[in-house]
Amino acid sequence: MSTVMIRKAAYNEAVLRPIVFEMLESSEGPTIDTGDRVLIKPNFLAPAAPEKALTTHPLLLKAAAEFALAKGARVQISDSPAMGSFSKLWKKGGYEEMLKGLDVTVKPFEETISVDVGEPFGSIDIAKDAMEADVVINLAKLKTHTQMMLTLGVKNLFGCIVGLKKPEWHMRTGVDRQMFGRLIVSIFQAVGPAYTIMDGILAMEGQGPGRSGTPRELGLLMGGKNAHAVDHVACLQVGLDPDTLETHRNAREMGVYDGRVHINGDLKILDDFQFPELGSLTMGPDYLGRFMRRFVIQQPVADNKACKLCGECWKYCPAKAISYTDRGIAFNTDTCIRCYCCLEVCPHAAIRAKKPIAGKVVAWLTKNR
């Protein structure tokens, strides 16, 4: 059974630091040896002042870094912001001033390595620094999310998808919220953080996770070895059935979380937390998402001369994105998640992956900017 600690806290170093150390030194805290590479992964959504509640508070980041440094670790702080530059975020968020003098490496995720996260997604590109760290400490933010209801510990690891790959995966999963939840859980499991601390001191409700959300003071830190359990307790805290959260439901279905949790601390359930009205999974206007999926993102295409209409592809397709007539097969680019299971199972080598011309131009421009 996973243990989740709940502690009353405030953005006061004398209060916050001992709580962070208590969590990380607990029996379920991470094992950090001298010389270990410790990656601290905060929630760095966009450049914003701490009182906006968009990002993990700098005091929490400082306390976690000091804990790892005290263990003799080599500490790195990294993320891939969804909006704005990393350097601007570092300054505007108060991190530059707060962590001045600490012997830590600070940089955005840039390099990636291909990681097989299992079906139906196969190999995807994840930040190399996250995959090669000895220990990953996950510093999440308790916020609402208009696409996934809440963004908590598990979803925080989606930040290990670098740069333009992030919106591309939004486009790939299209309108399928369950499939996007499965993707997030798969990425989380691949990175495998050793400990998760949830910053709920100043949370966000309403139309989060960005500037449209409303900061709300909860005065809480939550921490645990199992981020699925931390998210479970966070849902209970704000009065949400955990199974409403796609990442939670997918974790249960995938067998990576059994739903059993022990709460160390006082759980006081809120009955007035404001949740968002769920919108589209795609980033930007719907018409832009359709354009991207049809003309920019790599997609499966069929050689209808080689196709024998055997049915293996449409039977296996997890997104049910393949239709067929006696003239051949076609792919629904709006719902296709680009898992390429169809390519793998086709016994006649009639399907291949192809990037549209517009996609090749975008890739060239991105590489040579």
Side-chain angles (χ1 to χ4, degrees):
M1 183 181 295
S2 302
T3 297
V4 175
M5 300 175 70
I6 302 177
R7 295 292 183 268
K8 281 286 186 182
Y11 295 135
N12 178 307
E13 191 163 8
V15 174
L16 186 65
R17 191 175 188 271
I19 296 173
V20 172
F21 273 57
E22 177 193 12
M23 289 178 171
L24 295 174
E25 286 175 337
S26 68
S27 60
E28 292 195 359
T31 299
I32 301 175
D33 297 320
T34 300
D36 277 352
R37 296 173 58 189
V38 173
L39 175 80
I40 298 177
K41 165 62 177 76
N43 183 315
F44 277 178
L45 176 68
E51 61 268 21
K52 299 296 184 182
L54 263 70
T55 57
T56 305
H57 197 278
L59 270 175
L60 178 55
L61 203 57
K62 180 183 181 183
E66 288 178 336
F67 178 86
L69 289 170
K71 296 290 185 180
R74 295 171 291 158
V75 179
Q76 178 178 327
I77 299 169
S78 294
D79 198 0
S80 179
M83 296 169 279
S85 71
F86 187 94
S87 59
K88 183 178 179 181
L89 184 152
W90 188 254
K91 293 178 181 178
K92 190 169 184 178
Y95 305 99
E96 184 175 63
E97 181 65 26
M98 186 65 68
L99 279 78
K100 186 183 297 182
L102 289 186
D103 184 17
V104 298
T105 298
V106 178
K107 65 176 185 176
F109 288 136
E110 293 176 331
E111 291 186 70
T112 63
I113 57 175
S114 182
V115 180
D116 187 348
V117 301
E119 293 187 1
F121 307 105
S123 294
I124 66 176
D125 294 332
I126 299 178
K128 182 178 180 182
D129 289 330
M131 295 304 303
E132 295 185 349
D134 296 307
V135 176
V136 176
I137 298 177
N138 180 23
L139 300 184
K141 188 77 172 175
L142 199 166
K143 299 189 292 181
T144 48
H145 197 282
T146 54
Q147 295 168 324
M148 300 299 288
M149 189 64 77
L150 293 173
T151 178
L152 304 172
V154 174
K155 191 179 182 303
N156 196 42
L157 272 294
F158 188 56
C160 294
I161 303 300
V162 180
L164 292 176
K165 289 291 183 180
K166 202 179 275 97
E168 181 175 323
W169 272 108
H170 275 275
M171 301 301 178
R172 285 190 183 193
T173 52
V175 296
D176 194 334
R177 213 176 304 275
Q178 186 275 337
M179 191 62 69
F180 188 55
R182 188 179 183 91
L183 170 69
I184 292 170
V185 173
S186 299
I187 293 167
F188 173 85
Q189 293 299 125
V191 177
Y195 202 84
T196 293
I197 297 178
M198 181 89 64
D199 179 4
I201 298 174
L202 185 65
M204 178 181 285
E205 62 181 358
Q207 295 299 108
R211 288 176 170 79
S212 296
T214 304
R216 175 164 178 180
E217 187 172 350
L218 301 183
L220 295 173
L221 276 188
M222 286 169 270
K225 179 180 180 179
N226 188 330
H228 299 294
V230 176
D231 287 4
H232 183 163
V233 174
C235 287
L236 295 177
Q237 178 67 54
V238 297
L240 181 73
D241 178 356
D243 281 332
T244 304
L245 201 67
E246 285 292 350
T247 49
H248 180 85
R249 186 160 58 244
N250 271 278
R252 296 281 297 271
E253 291 174 356
M254 294 164 67
V256 297
Y257 178 54
D258 62 9
R260 299 170 65 239
V261 60
H262 169 70
I263 298 175
N264 179 334
D266 295 328
L267 177 69
K268 295 183 178 179
I269 299 174
L270 300 175
D271 59 7
D272 62 347
F273 195 81
Q274 300 299 306
F275 296 100
E277 181 179 342
L278 293 183
S280 170
L281 281 179
T282 58
M283 300 180 74
D286 287 344
Y287 69 83
L288 179 59
R290 290 192 293 272
F291 175 83
M292 290 282 288
R293 289 192 295 275
R294 183 170 297 180
F295 299 112
V296 178
I297 296 173
Q298 181 175 279
Q299 56 196 255
V301 295
D303 178 353
N304 285 328
K305 291 183 179 179
C307 177
K308 307 298 182 185
L309 291 176
C310 66
E312 290 300 315
C313 60
W314 64 75
K315 291 175 187 175
Y316 198 82
C317 177
K320 306 301 179 188
I322 303 175
S323 59
Y324 58 94
T325 67
D326 56 3
R327 294 191 300 274
I329 64 172
F331 298 89
N332 184 332
T333 55
D334 285 341
T335 58
C336 173
I337 63 170
R338 277 65 169 183
C339 60
Y340 300 109
C341 293
C342 54
L343 188 151
E344 294 179 15
V345 302
C346 178
H348 307 293
I351 301 175
R352 59 194 175 92
K354 181 180 180 180
K355 180 163 285 191
I357 294 175
K360 293 178 181 179
V361 172
V362 170
W364 184 89
L365 291 172
T366 301
K367 184 177 180 180
N368 295 280
R369 62 180 176 178

